[in-house]
Amino acid sequence: MTGRRTDKNRKPARPWKIRLNLAVTVLVLCLGPIMIGAGSFMINADEELARTGARATGTIVHFDDVTKASQRRIRVDFTTPDGSAHRTFAAVDHDQHPVVGTDVPVIYAEDDPGRAIVPGYESGGEWFRGAGVVLTALFGGIGTLAVVLMGVGALRGFLRRRATRRVG
């Protein structure tokens, strides 16, 4: 005889495993919206910095021209009016081709020159928000499909039980 033995009772699921599965599921479903919120917050902070920050001229000192979009970055060194040197990084889109040694504008927070942006180049918030949208669409689609399939299964079971009662 092949197959699973049916004469023994199956062990009940452990409560901690059920809770762990539920916690992981909730975390995965919430990850995308959390990333969207964090990315939007970062973008808004950069926009506020662009409106209120101090301006300086920086020089592109390094450019990683790689094929993976999330790793295409420039490093820009700039000097504040007090003479201290600082650097910032910015993401580079595939249609942009910066040249090392080129001067670019930099906007920085006067109270924290380490917080700076390079206008015309992306900040980390755009990538973060985009990844959140992708995760939300992916896991939200899978979750919706699972709920629909479980609903169809429950409806079929209900209809079978109802049909069996009528026959008997």
Side-chain angles (χ1 to χ4, degrees), residues 17 19 27 39 43 47 52 77 80 88 91 93 98 101 137-138 143 150 159 165-166:
K17 284 186 177 180
R19 288 188 186 114
L27 178 69
I43 290 169
E47 288 173 354
T52 62
D77 288 351
T80 56
T88 188
D93 201 4
L138 178 68
M150 288 186 333
L159 293 176
R165 282 188 212 141
R166 285 185 185 167

Short mmCIF file of all heavy atoms in Angstrom, two decimals, residues 17 19 27 39 43 47 52 77 80 88 91 93 98 101 137-138 143 150 159 165-166:
data_model
loop_
_atom_site.label_atom_id
_atom_site.label_comp_id
_atom_site.label_asym_id
_atom_site.label_seq_id
_atom_site.Cartn_x
_atom_site.Cartn_y
_atom_site.Cartn_z
N LYS A 17 4.20 28.23 15.82
CA LYS A 17 4.45 28.19 14.37
C LYS A 17 3.38 28.98 13.62
O LYS A 17 3.68 29.67 12.65
CB LYS A 17 4.48 26.75 13.87
CG LYS A 17 5.75 26.01 14.20
CD LYS A 17 5.76 24.65 13.54
CE LYS A 17 7.05 23.93 13.81
NZ LYS A 17 7.07 22.60 13.18
N ARG A 19 1.69 31.51 14.82
CA ARG A 19 1.96 32.94 15.07
C ARG A 19 3.15 33.43 14.27
O ARG A 19 3.13 34.55 13.76
CB ARG A 19 2.19 33.16 16.56
CG ARG A 19 0.95 33.06 17.37
CD ARG A 19 1.18 33.47 18.82
NE ARG A 19 0.00 33.23 19.60
CZ ARG A 19 -0.08 32.34 20.57
NH1 ARG A 19 0.97 31.62 20.91
NH2 ARG A 19 -1.20 32.17 21.24
N LEU A 27 4.47 41.00 7.95
CA LEU A 27 5.68 41.77 7.66
C LEU A 27 5.89 41.92 6.16
O LEU A 27 6.17 43.02 5.67
CB LEU A 27 6.90 41.11 8.30
CG LEU A 27 8.24 41.79 8.04
CD1 LEU A 27 8.29 43.13 8.76
CD2 LEU A 27 9.38 40.90 8.47
N GLY A 39 10.27 56.24 1.43
CA GLY A 39 10.79 56.90 0.22
C GLY A 39 10.16 58.26 0.00
O GLY A 39 10.84 59.22 -0.36
N ILE A 43 12.06 61.86 -0.13
CA ILE A 43 11.90 62.78 -1.27
C ILE A 43 11.43 64.14 -0.78
O ILE A 43 11.94 65.18 -1.22
CB ILE A 43 10.92 62.19 -2.30
CG1 ILE A 43 11.57 60.99 -3.00
CG2 ILE A 43 10.50 63.24 -3.33
CD1 ILE A 43 10.61 60.17 -3.84
N GLU A 47 13.29 67.73 -1.17
CA GLU A 47 12.64 68.91 -1.77
C GLU A 47 12.70 70.10 -0.82
O GLU A 47 12.92 71.24 -1.26
CB GLU A 47 11.20 68.58 -2.15
CG GLU A 47 11.10 67.65 -3.35
CD GLU A 47 9.68 67.18 -3.63
OE1 GLU A 47 8.76 67.49 -2.82
OE2 GLU A 47 9.49 66.50 -4.65
N THR A 52 15.37 75.37 0.88
CA THR A 52 15.89 76.17 1.98
C THR A 52 17.40 76.06 2.20
O THR A 52 17.94 76.80 3.01
CB THR A 52 15.20 75.77 3.29
OG1 THR A 52 15.49 74.39 3.57
CG2 THR A 52 13.69 75.97 3.20
N ASP A 77 32.54 66.19 -4.45
CA ASP A 77 33.20 66.88 -3.34
C ASP A 77 32.90 68.37 -3.44
O ASP A 77 32.89 68.93 -4.54
CB ASP A 77 34.72 66.66 -3.39
CG ASP A 77 35.11 65.24 -3.02
OD1 ASP A 77 34.25 64.47 -2.56
OD2 ASP A 77 36.30 64.89 -3.20
N THR A 80 32.38 74.18 1.87
CA THR A 80 31.46 75.17 2.43
C THR A 80 32.22 76.49 2.63
O THR A 80 33.46 76.51 2.60
CB THR A 80 30.89 74.67 3.78
OG1 THR A 80 31.96 74.35 4.65
CG2 THR A 80 30.02 73.45 3.57
N THR A 88 29.24 64.24 -1.10
CA THR A 88 27.90 63.66 -1.16
C THR A 88 27.86 62.71 -2.35
O THR A 88 28.72 62.75 -3.24
CB THR A 88 26.81 64.75 -1.27
OG1 THR A 88 25.53 64.12 -1.12
CG2 THR A 88 26.87 65.50 -2.58
N ALA A 91 22.51 59.23 -7.11
CA ALA A 91 22.24 58.18 -8.08
C ALA A 91 22.17 58.80 -9.48
O ALA A 91 21.73 59.93 -9.65
CB ALA A 91 20.93 57.48 -7.75
N ASP A 93 20.86 58.30 -13.44
CA ASP A 93 19.95 57.60 -14.33
C ASP A 93 20.71 57.11 -15.56
O ASP A 93 21.79 57.62 -15.88
CB ASP A 93 18.82 58.55 -14.73
CG ASP A 93 17.59 57.82 -15.21
OD1 ASP A 93 17.57 56.57 -15.16
OD2 ASP A 93 16.64 58.49 -15.65
N PRO A 98 27.48 61.71 -16.65
CA PRO A 98 28.33 62.75 -16.05
C PRO A 98 29.81 62.47 -16.34
O PRO A 98 30.22 61.33 -16.54
CB PRO A 98 28.04 62.64 -14.56
CG PRO A 98 27.49 61.28 -14.37
CD PRO A 98 26.84 60.88 -15.64
N GLY A 101 35.30 65.47 -13.05
CA GLY A 101 35.95 66.77 -13.16
C GLY A 101 34.99 67.90 -13.48
O GLY A 101 35.36 69.07 -13.41
N ALA A 137 2.85 45.79 -5.27
CA ALA A 137 2.14 45.18 -6.40
C ALA A 137 2.34 43.67 -6.42
O ALA A 137 1.38 42.91 -6.60
CB ALA A 137 2.61 45.80 -7.71
N LEU A 138 3.57 43.24 -6.20
CA LEU A 138 3.87 41.80 -6.25
C LEU A 138 3.17 41.05 -5.13
O LEU A 138 2.40 40.11 -5.38
CB LEU A 138 5.39 41.60 -6.16
CG LEU A 138 5.86 40.16 -6.16
CD1 LEU A 138 5.59 39.52 -7.52
CD2 LEU A 138 7.34 40.10 -5.85
N GLY A 143 -1.31 38.04 -2.68
CA GLY A 143 -2.30 37.97 -1.60
C GLY A 143 -3.72 37.99 -2.12
O GLY A 143 -4.57 37.22 -1.67
N MET A 150 -8.98 30.94 -2.22
CA MET A 150 -9.56 30.37 -1.01
C MET A 150 -11.07 30.61 -0.98
O MET A 150 -11.83 29.73 -0.56
CB MET A 150 -8.90 30.98 0.23
CG MET A 150 -7.49 30.48 0.43
SD MET A 150 -6.62 30.95 1.94
CE MET A 150 -7.33 32.47 2.44
N LEU A 159 -21.25 24.65 -1.76
CA LEU A 159 -22.21 24.15 -2.76
C LEU A 159 -22.25 22.63 -2.78
O LEU A 159 -23.31 22.03 -2.96
CB LEU A 159 -21.87 24.71 -4.14
CG LEU A 159 -22.07 26.23 -4.29
CD1 LEU A 159 -21.61 26.68 -5.66
CD2 LEU A 159 -23.52 26.61 -4.04
N ARG A 165 -26.76 17.32 0.79
CA ARG A 165 -27.91 17.29 1.69
C ARG A 165 -29.20 17.08 0.93
O ARG A 165 -30.12 16.40 1.38
CB ARG A 165 -28.01 18.62 2.47
CG ARG A 165 -27.02 18.70 3.60
CD ARG A 165 -27.29 19.93 4.43
NE ARG A 165 -26.01 20.38 4.96
CZ ARG A 165 -25.66 21.62 5.08
NH1 ARG A 165 -26.47 22.59 4.74
NH2 ARG A 165 -24.49 21.92 5.58
N ARG A 166 -29.32 17.65 -0.27
CA ARG A 166 -30.53 17.52 -1.06
C ARG A 166 -30.71 16.07 -1.57
O ARG A 166 -31.81 15.57 -1.67
CB ARG A 166 -30.50 18.46 -2.26
CG ARG A 166 -30.74 19.88 -1.90
CD ARG A 166 -30.82 20.72 -3.13
NE ARG A 166 -30.94 22.11 -2.79
CZ ARG A 166 -30.80 23.08 -3.62
NH1 ARG A 166 -30.51 22.84 -4.88
NH2 ARG A 166 -30.94 24.33 -3.23
#
